[in-house]
Amino acid sequence: MDTFGRGLAIPHEIAAGAIPFAIGVVIASMLILAVWLGMRVRSREPGPPRPEDQPHLPDSGPVHEIREMREPDEVPHDGGFLAPHELRGFGNIRSHTAKDQTPPRWSPNSSGGFGSGSPGHH
């Protein structure tokens, strides 16, 4: 029989309790280390802004929304074609105030929704 080292062997009952305890100690120490590192990083960050650093209203008062109908500027029709880099200033980017400022309304026979079952207006 091989009895060498049998006296040095750890009983099964002790190993069954010691291994989960050791794993728990490792996990707890990793969590403590993570909190400590997080506190170090947080201490190096700037503090919250002071009230005088917050944005404030301009002297002229609050800015309000302006609603107006816009029309796009026309692309020049000189018979040639325009490359994409030449279209930058045209289309909806450059526009002017429309003469008719009444907003468009839905047609009375149109539901206005895609897939709503209505045939739409023809």
Side-chain angles (χ1 to χ4, degrees):
M1 249 201 212
D2 187 15
T3 59
F4 180 73
R6 196 52 97 181
L8 299 175
I10 300 174
H12 177 68
E13 294 83 16
I14 294 175
I19 292 175
F21 177 75
I23 292 173
V25 167
V26 169
I27 290 174
S29 61
M30 289 173 59
L31 289 173
I32 290 171
L33 180 66
V35 169
W36 178 73
L37 286 174
M39 288 172 39
R40 278 189 57 198
V41 168
R42 182 90 189 250
S43 68
R44 283 188 254 140
E45 292 177 353
R50 298 183 311 254
E52 56 267 7
D53 294 337
Q54 299 291 333
H56 57 280
L57 286 175
D59 295 334
S60 61
V63 179
H64 297 288
E65 177 181 359
I66 298 175
R67 289 186 176 226
E68 65 178 6
M69 301 304 296
R70 306 284 296 174
E71 290 181 346
D73 290 340
E74 284 291 321
V75 176
H77 300 284
D78 58 359
F81 68 93
L82 294 174
H85 70 276
E86 296 172 318
L87 288 173
R88 183 181 0 195
F90 299 102
N92 289 332
I93 295 174
R94 283 198 178 166
S95 61
H96 58 273
T97 304
K99 294 176 184 167
D100 182 20
Q101 288 295 313
T102 56
R105 299 287 178 210
W106 294 110
S107 172
N109 294 330
S110 174
S111 66
F114 177 76
S116 61
S118 172
H121 59 284
H122 296 283

